[in-house]
Amino acid sequence: MTMMGGIWSLGGSLQIATIVFLWKILEIYFPGHLRSSIISYSMKLASLVSPYIYIRFPEFIGDSEEYMGVKRSDAYAAIETYLSGKSSREAKYLKAVDVKDSSQPVQLSMDENEGVTDEFEGVKLSWAVNKEYTRTQQSFSFYPQMDEKRYYQLTFHKSHRDFVNGTYINHVIQKGKAITVSNRQRKLYTNNPSQSWERYRARKWSHATFEHPATFDTLAMESKKKLEIVNDLEKFSKGKDYYKKIGKAWKRGYLLYGPPGTGKSSMIAAMANHLEYDIYDLELTTVMNNTELRKLLIETTGKSIIVIEDIDCSLDLTGQRKNEKKKAKDEEVKDPISKMTKGEEDSNSKVTLSGLLNFIDGLWSAIGGERIIVFTTNYVEKLDAALIRRGRMDKHIELSYCGFEAFKVLAKNYLDVDSHPLFATIGHLLEETNITPADVAENLMPKSLNEDAEACLKKLIEAIKTAKEEATKKAEEEARLKAEKEEKEKLEATQEDVKIDKSLAKDVKENGVEVVKDDKTLANEVKENGVTA
């Protein structure tokens, strides 16, 4: 069908009908290998007078005689995706293609011997998908065994050669890849323990389909702050040339910090959904050393977010690791559950602060490109300053307690209400009380079919009042304990002064130094030494 691919751009219904008729004759009366030869010689003859140029994009690359050496062409796959929309609208004979890891059930593409036209920047071009036959082995049969090879053929006028070679083909490949990315089934990865890496067909990362529904529209946060984050993300995703220009790896670090329940995980999901990125959830406690950390980084792909949640609990990376190691070990011997109650995990990991810093912005961090690295923590003050400085964690985002604007987002999400007479009361209470968005959301969620929006809002008001009372009691208790502590420290200081006085008196007596302590002591010393005071 190569001949037909070259004729699409010639136009004319009579020519097309003639070609279709001749092709059907070839299909009926000639076997595949003869058809291929006839078409090949016909095209050589036509090329002598034709003003058109033909470019072939084969489906497979590599050694066709060695199965293990055959690889499907990325260019062919991109072209197939690029033409899928036109094929579904224009082609008569279509083929359903199962695309791996795609959110679409199937992708429609042209069947063999079909063609479509494309127009780009005012230039018309033609595409056809064809099949050629080559002999695979020696055979004494009249119809020897043949190998079928599919390929796309691009046909265009020779006056557009430079435009096609320099611009159009690159446009088709990049557009096809972009469509593939947007249609792909995004994944949530987690790293496997290194002990299992050497097993048969073992992988360093396991994955599940990423289906978290969080978006920036549903995120409980001030709209101004959300817009700032969205603009930053979009600037990054479109900044390939800019990062290359300034000589930096195409990556960006985000530090999310704030109390538990303020939406750090939801923020990560919203970022991934907005950019259509995969997520790699890195569990540092299972990484044995810096070398393994680098291997995991190499296995990640571009257009991804690498997440280390609760980094202050994952490993001791505060810079005082050696000084505190022995003390912590002694405490664990005395109280083996103390580490668990602090939310820490037992780990033999030898990942160092230096190794993690190299992971974030060292030479290896530039591999792949278009990555976002996110750290989350409830206690930002615990982290080593070198770990979170600008240039590593480029943007610091504080996720704090629920304000009135964040509450309105949650009310819209959970109750589908934009306003209510009780909003004013809730807004006033939120100004006086610290309550997390997670607690607000839990109280706004209806627990039965009988609960309406007003019932949920009243329930939230009671919860905020309770939280306010508890906060007041806690503040009073902390003030009482502080006062007791200060009084105790004052008493201890007084007792220490007394001890010092007694010690000083003893030193005076032993060294024969005259010190006035009280009237009685002074009189005795005067009498004994004959000194007039």
Side-chain angles (χ1 to χ4, degrees):
M1 191 50 191
T2 306
M3 182 169 60
M4 287 186 65
I7 300 298
W8 287 108
S9 57
L10 297 179
S13 57
L14 180 60
Q15 292 173 318
I16 294 176
T18 303
I19 296 301
V20 171
F21 174 75
L22 292 175
W23 177 251
K24 290 301 180 183
I25 294 297
L26 287 174
E27 276 191 322
I28 294 172
Y29 295 104
F30 295 88
H33 63 289
L34 292 180
R35 288 201 302 269
S36 180
S37 298
I38 292 173
I39 292 173
S40 177
Y41 286 118
S42 299
M43 287 307 302
K44 288 179 180 179
L45 180 62
S47 64
L48 297 176
V49 295
S50 173
Y52 294 94
I53 294 175
Y54 311 95
I55 301 179
R56 178 183 294 193
F57 299 88
E59 182 176 11
F60 294 99
I61 57 177
D63 185 2
S64 61
E65 295 182 359
E66 184 180 352
Y67 176 77
M68 295 302 293
V70 176
K71 178 182 179 296
R72 196 166 194 261
S73 168
D74 291 337
Y76 183 94
I79 293 169
E80 187 171 57
T81 303
Y82 173 81
L83 295 175
S84 61
K86 293 182 176 295
S87 300
S88 61
R89 292 190 302 268
E90 300 177 16
K92 186 175 181 180
Y93 296 96
L94 298 168
K95 180 176 64 174
V97 179
D98 184 16
V99 182
K100 184 180 179 182
D101 296 331
S102 175
S103 59
Q104 305 296 325
V106 293
Q107 175 180 284
L108 295 179
S109 66
M110 291 185 291
D111 204 353
E112 285 83 0
N113 312 328
E114 276 284 358
V116 294
T117 58
D118 188 26
E119 184 173 345
F120 181 66
E121 295 186 6
V123 177
K124 292 185 177 181
L125 311 101
S126 300
W127 287 96
V129 60
N130 304 307
K131 205 190 297 185
E132 70 173 355
Y133 301 86
T134 57
R135 186 179 304 223
T136 58
Q137 61 185 16
Q138 294 293 333
S139 174
F140 295 101
S141 171
F142 182 73
Y143 297 104
Q145 185 176 351
M146 305 299 294
D147 182 26
E148 297 182 350
K149 297 180 181 178
R150 285 165 49 89
Y151 61 91
Y152 276 101
Q153 181 166 285
L154 172 62
T155 304
F156 56 93
H157 196 278
K158 62 183 180 182
S159 61
H160 303 307
R161 179 192 290 268
D162 293 339
F163 169 77
V164 171
N165 294 341
T167 303
Y168 178 70
I169 293 177
N170 182 63
H171 162 74
V172 171
I173 302 299
Q174 296 303 321
K175 183 68 173 178
K177 289 182 177 179
I179 295 173
T180 300
V181 169
S182 64
N183 289 341
R184 84 187 193 284
Q185 191 176 61
R186 291 184 294 116
K187 297 174 182 177
L188 172 62
Y189 293 87
T190 185
N191 52 302
N192 297 321
S194 58
Q195 295 89 335
S196 63
W197 289 3
E198 302 302 326
R199 296 175 186 172
Y200 176 66
R201 301 185 68 179
R203 296 178 181 272
K204 294 179 177 63
W205 295 93
S206 298
H207 70 266
T209 302
F210 179 68
E211 297 177 333
H212 200 293
T215 65
F216 279 99
D217 291 333
T218 62
L219 211 59
M221 181 184 288
E222 296 82 0
S223 57
K224 182 179 179 181
K225 195 169 185 178
K226 284 197 282 189
L227 181 60
E228 177 187 338
I229 297 169
V230 168
N231 289 339
D232 190 82
L233 291 170
E234 291 183 351
K235 177 69 175 177
F236 166 78
S237 66
K238 299 174 183 177
K240 181 178 181 180
D241 294 336
Y242 177 76
Y243 277 83
K244 184 177 180 180
K245 174 186 174 183
I246 63 177
K248 289 188 65 176
W250 191 14
K251 64 176 185 58
R252 191 158 177 80
Y254 286 79
L255 175 67
L256 309 183
Y257 65 97
T262 51
K264 293 183 284 293
S265 296
S266 296
M267 169 65 76
I268 295 169
M271 293 167 67
N273 285 328
H274 184 79
L275 295 175
E276 297 183 338
Y277 282 9
D278 294 325
I279 293 180
Y280 288 85
D281 184 14
L282 177 60
E283 179 53 63
L284 276 180
T285 56
T286 66
V287 183
M288 300 306 296
N289 50 51
N290 296 336
T291 301
E292 289 187 4
L293 189 62
R294 285 195 297 269
K295 289 180 180 179
L296 286 169
L297 176 63
I298 293 171
E299 291 289 326
T300 63
T301 62
K303 293 186 179 296
S304 62
I305 300 177
I306 301 174
V307 179
I308 303 179
E309 293 197 85
D310 297 322
I311 190 169
D312 53 296
C313 299
S314 296
L315 291 175
D316 185 2
L317 299 168
T318 60
Q320 292 81 31
R321 186 171 184 167
K322 291 183 179 179
N323 296 334
E324 298 181 356
K325 186 174 182 181
K326 186 176 185 301
K327 181 180 176 182
K329 188 174 182 180
D330 293 340
E331 289 179 353
E332 288 172 28
V333 172
K334 296 177 182 178
D335 186 4
I337 66 171
S338 62
K339 193 172 184 180
M340 296 174 61
T341 59
K342 294 177 183 178
E344 299 176 358
E345 297 181 18
D346 186 21
S347 173
N348 294 319
S349 175
K350 295 182 180 178
V351 174
T352 64
L353 178 61
S354 174
L356 187 59
L357 296 182
N358 286 330
F359 175 86
I360 299 169
D361 66 353
L363 294 175
W364 292 93
S365 67
I367 296 176
E370 196 169 358
R371 286 190 183 92
I372 289 176
I373 300 174
V374 177
F375 290 168
T376 73
T377 180
N378 298 331
Y379 308 101
V380 66
E381 66 278 359
K382 288 186 177 182
L383 299 180
D384 195 296
L387 187 65
I388 59 175
R389 70 163 175 79
R390 308 291 177 171
R392 290 190 174 119
M393 293 294 103
D394 304 284
K395 191 168 184 63
H396 295 190
I397 302 174
E398 181 180 9
L399 298 173
S400 189
Y401 295 103
C402 188
F404 183 61
E405 190 172 355
F407 155 73
K408 290 195 294 184
V409 174
L410 293 172
K412 178 65 175 177
N413 293 344
Y414 286 83
L415 303 176
D416 200 24
V417 294
D418 295 306
S419 62
H420 193 278
L422 293 175
F423 274 22
T425 302
I426 293 172
H428 180 69
L429 288 171
L430 289 175
E431 292 177 355
E432 302 174 343
T433 311
N434 288 336
I435 185 170
T436 65
D439 289 331
V440 172
E442 179 61 26
N443 285 283
L444 289 178
M445 182 180 291
K447 300 300 189 298
S448 69
L449 297 176
N450 298 326
E451 278 191 320
D452 57 7
E454 184 168 346
C456 292
L457 292 173
K458 289 180 178 179
K459 182 172 62 176
L460 175 60
I461 290 174
E462 293 302 317
I464 298 176
K465 288 180 178 178
T466 301
K468 183 179 180 180
E469 293 174 359
E470 291 177 351
T472 302
K473 291 179 181 179
K474 183 178 179 181
E476 292 174 352
E477 180 66 15
E478 289 177 350
R480 183 184 66 80
L481 293 174
K482 182 179 180 181
E484 290 180 354
K485 182 179 179 181
E486 291 175 351
E487 184 66 26
K488 183 179 179 181
E489 290 175 349
K490 185 177 180 181
L491 179 61
E492 290 175 349
T494 303
Q495 293 174 346
E496 186 67 25
D497 289 341
V498 172
K499 289 180 180 179
I500 293 174
D501 288 343
K502 290 182 178 179
S503 176
L504 180 61
K506 184 177 179 181
D507 290 341
V508 168
K509 186 175 181 180
E510 291 176 351
N511 295 286
V513 179
E514 184 177 346
V515 176
V516 177
K517 297 185 69 177
D518 53 39
D519 292 342
K520 186 176 180 180
T521 303
L522 177 62
N524 291 335
E525 291 180 352
V526 169
K527 184 177 180 180
E528 291 174 358
N529 296 286
V531 179
T532 303

